[in-house]
Amino acid sequence: MPRLLPAWQPPCRPAMRSNYLLGTRRWAVSLADHCGLHGAAAYRGRSAAAAASSQPFSAAQSNDASDLGPELMRWLQLNGGRVDGVTLANLAGRDGASGWGLQASQDLEPGRRLIVLPAACHLTYGAKDDPRLLALIEKVPNELWGAKLALQLLSQRLRGADSLFAAYISNLPRGIPGIPMFFSKRALDLIDYPPVTQQVQKRCRWLHTFSQQVMAKLPGSPEDPFGGVTVDINALGWALACVTSRAFRTRGPAHPAAMLPLIDMANHTFTPNAEVLPLPGGDMGLFAKSKVATGEPLLLSYGKLNNDFLFMDYGFIVPDNPYDTVQLRFDIGLMQAGCLVANVTDAEGPPRDLVITPWRQELLTELGLAGAAATLELNLGGPDLLDPRLLAAARVMVARQAGEVAGRGGAERLCAIDCPLSRENETAALRVVGGVIAVALSTFRRTLDQDLALLAGQVPPSTEADGNQRQDLAPLETADEMLAVRFCVEKKRILSRSLQRVAALAEAVKGNGELRQSTGMSMAKKGSKPAPATNKGFGQKK
């Protein structure tokens, strides 16, 4: 069974992104323990049907994809669909992932229509559904679009053989491998990247609150769409994981998502040979995008997604993902910490104070890093490795007077990585940026070398004496723990490559004979010192 499913219209997919600074590791362990979402092994060993109800579902509980393929194809064809030139097979890693997926059963030409899924076979919700179910769905925040569809999935599952989707639902996996929401405490701690762990906490908190305050009160009430069956947190968590790892936003963000049976068996690549396209009447089709030889996997692109999204929603990561980034939150304390780490000094020798003067405030506002409309998230990675706004902010903060930066092309010029203002300014700015990246690397409890040693089955030497560090460096025991460390490795590699990029830019500045030494000689008046950095050097969370 594949772990992931494409987002047919990636730009429309709501982002579960964290706007927090890399500064908080704490995860709600007590919440996880209380919710029963503490251990993947305990969860996956339990039938989702049993978790949802004391009454058995009439649909079979098979997870054998060799039975799933013919059964789903028959179901699809009986409901007006079409399957041609494609079959379900155990790909054994040939698609870059593992397990089951779609493959070509014959040579395919570009444009070949492989699967037609009628609109009636899209598992979604709408005006024709039970008003009680729709009222319950309305209680879910819009950003948790997957949870809305999860309630429909549970409703359909409770209908058993009476559901149009019984053949599809009965073969959904009991557990979704790699989804951090079901990680053990240690596996989650090993992620060590707050933009993801905070989202896990957020989802678990919502699951707990919604299950206790809404779902638990439904049985026997007039608002109950589930026929008196108790749907607990484990069943809701299972349905949420199924949806987020499979659903398509076929009609854009203003409309409900849909699960597309059989089509959703295709795995992911950034170089797809198949694509999902709309057909007349609301039907959806799977088409060959390029020539495909018999036996080759049929792969879709889920969109230009970074590893955070792939990990959170699909339970896998892509090594050297060209769209992966490391998130930082802009803060003057973060910049000051980078300045201290890189030993950027004043002419007299002491470390330079990065003071927000009125003219700097105006420029930072123009960059979108200050003011009421500020967007403080910065991203390292991608094609340029450096966030242009981070370099622009460093150029502004190390400038000795307004004349160095004011009236020099505005935000666009300040953000141009290949357009330094002067040798003095660019050298100092790049050193601050390098210091910021070094601070980001220092927030991880383990080094890149230690992570690689753990993945190789070795026990790396500890660099700290505290108990948490020793636990971090204990041998990895589960696939989830290995995935968590692999995720961290990718983040640290991005930061390391970003540091190399800064060093290369600094060398280019040093060798640029046409670059002026300075654009202004007078010193900017010193103001009060900025707020101190946190113990991680990232400033306070706004």
Side-chain angles (χ1 to χ4, degrees):
M1 206 51 142
R3 296 180 179 176
L4 33 122
L5 247 232
W8 171 76
Q9 198 171 15
C12 298
R13 184 168 181 146
M16 291 284 292
R17 303 191 70 167
S18 169
N19 288 321
Y20 297 114
L21 176 66
L22 270 175
T24 306
R25 295 197 179 96
R26 187 177 300 279
W27 182 66
V29 176
S30 59
L31 170 65
D33 291 339
H34 182 65
C35 290
L37 293 174
H38 177 74
Y43 175 80
R44 291 174 187 159
R46 179 180 182 184
S47 164
S53 170
S54 58
Q55 303 174 11
F57 290 98
S58 57
Q61 189 59 38
S62 169
N63 282 285
D64 185 353
S66 62
D67 297 330
L68 170 63
E71 182 182 357
L72 268 183
M73 291 179 183
R74 285 193 299 270
W75 168 80
L76 192 153
Q77 291 166 343
L78 284 173
N79 286 281
R82 170 182 163 186
V83 181
D84 182 25
V86 60
T87 188
L88 189 67
N90 191 335
L91 300 173
R94 288 185 292 119
D95 59 346
S98 62
W100 294 87
L102 299 180
Q103 73 174 21
S105 60
Q106 56 188 265
D107 292 346
L108 305 175
E109 292 297 320
R112 173 79 172 271
R113 184 181 296 183
L114 307 174
I115 297 175
V116 174
L117 188 69
C121 295
H122 304 180
L123 200 165
T124 185
Y125 58 90
K128 295 182 180 180
D129 284 303
D130 185 340
R132 296 172 299 178
L133 177 64
L134 296 177
L136 183 61
I137 287 173
E138 281 299 310
K139 295 181 180 181
V140 178
N142 288 333
E143 67 176 278
L144 291 175
W145 60 269
K148 290 176 177 284
L149 183 54
L151 293 171
Q152 172 68 296
L153 174 59
L154 288 169
S155 175
Q156 292 294 326
R157 182 157 192 170
L158 283 167
R159 295 180 188 180
D162 293 334
S163 171
L164 171 66
F165 300 95
Y168 172 64
I169 295 174
S170 65
N171 287 285
L172 288 174
R174 298 180 181 181
I176 313 297
I179 299 293
M181 192 166 58
F182 302 119
F183 274 15
S184 67
K185 178 184 180 298
R186 191 199 175 204
L188 191 64
D189 285 343
L190 286 168
I191 296 173
D192 198 20
Y193 183 66
V196 165
T197 55
Q198 287 168 354
Q199 288 305 313
V200 174
Q201 177 186 2
K202 183 176 182 179
R203 292 188 187 189
C204 287
R205 183 184 297 116
W206 178 84
L207 280 169
H208 178 257
T209 301
F210 196 79
S211 296
Q212 294 294 315
Q213 298 183 5
V214 179
M215 302 292 283
K217 298 177 181 178
L218 289 176
S221 73
E223 295 81 22
D224 182 15
F226 301 125
V229 175
T230 299
V231 177
D232 70 7
I233 189 171
N234 295 285
L236 185 57
W238 166 82
L240 177 59
C242 283
V243 168
T244 58
S245 65
R246 291 176 172 269
F248 294 73
R249 303 308 301 269
T250 55
R251 294 184 293 164
H255 299 276
M259 299 178 78
L260 305 183
L262 193 60
I263 290 178
D264 67 9
M265 295 298 294
N267 284 319
H268 166 77
T269 180
F270 289 127
T271 56
N273 58 12
E275 58 186 337
V276 179
L277 299 173
L279 297 169
D283 297 353
M284 297 300 296
L286 178 69
F287 292 79
K289 190 174 182 179
S290 60
K291 285 189 175 183
V292 184
T294 302
E296 284 189 18
L298 289 164
L299 303 173
L300 298 169
S301 173
Y302 300 177
K304 298 177 180 180
L305 302 177
N306 64 23
N307 279 344
D308 297 26
F309 294 141
L310 297 175
F311 190 24
M312 282 290 299
D313 287 347
Y314 302 124
F316 76 103
I317 64 169
V318 174
D320 297 318
N321 183 341
Y323 307 106
D324 198 18
T325 59
V326 172
Q327 296 176 25
L328 304 178
R329 185 182 180 87
F330 177 77
D331 184 273
I332 294 303
L334 170 62
M335 303 295 288
Q336 185 68 68
C339 185
L340 293 170
V341 167
N343 194 28
V344 180
T345 62
D346 284 326
E348 296 86 355
R352 187 177 300 187
D353 284 341
L354 304 185
V355 180
I356 297 186
T357 59
W359 59 268
R360 288 191 178 106
Q361 179 76 18
E362 182 178 346
L363 288 168
L364 290 175
T365 300
E366 188 175 349
L367 292 168
L369 295 173
T375 303
L376 301 182
E377 181 182 304
L378 301 171
N379 291 284
L380 298 173
D384 289 327
L385 289 172
L386 301 180
D387 192 310
R389 294 197 305 155
L390 175 59
L391 179 56
R395 287 168 171 168
V396 169
M397 294 307 300
V398 301
R400 297 182 184 279
Q401 59 182 6
E404 289 187 48
V405 288
R408 303 184 63 82
E412 184 176 355
R413 169 65 190 274
L414 285 171
C415 288
I417 292 177
D418 58 350
C419 294
L421 304 179
S422 70
R423 179 175 289 106
E424 179 186 42
N425 179 282
E426 193 73 357
T427 299
L430 287 171
R431 289 178 65 186
V432 170
V433 171
V436 166
I437 297 171
V439 169
L441 271 170
S442 73
T443 65
F444 291 98
R445 291 192 295 262
R446 304 177 309 276
T447 66
L448 177 58
D449 287 342
Q450 288 173 331
D451 279 346
L452 295 175
L454 286 171
L455 291 174
Q458 304 167 3
V459 179
S462 176
T463 57
E464 296 181 16
D466 62 282
N468 287 335
Q469 182 74 1
R470 287 196 297 271
Q471 176 68 13
D472 271 1
L473 299 181
L476 303 179
E477 297 179 351
T478 68
D480 288 344
E481 291 175 3
M482 293 193 70
L483 181 58
V485 174
R486 287 175 50 221
F487 175 82
C488 271
V489 164
E490 295 302 313
K491 297 301 181 184
K492 293 167 188 175
R493 282 177 170 161
I494 288 173
L495 293 172
S496 296
R497 288 193 292 266
S498 298
L499 273 178
Q500 293 169 6
R501 171 74 163 142
V502 169
L505 289 171
E507 283 298 312
V509 168
K510 186 185 300 184
N512 189 345
E514 298 180 358
L515 194 59
R516 286 187 296 175
Q517 174 63 25
S518 176
T519 55
M521 298 304 295
S522 62
M523 297 284 289
K525 184 179 179 181
K526 288 187 178 181
S528 58
K529 290 187 177 182
T534 65
N535 61 343
K536 298 182 186 301
F538 277 87
Q540 296 295 328
K541 183 173 68 179
K542 303 296 183 184

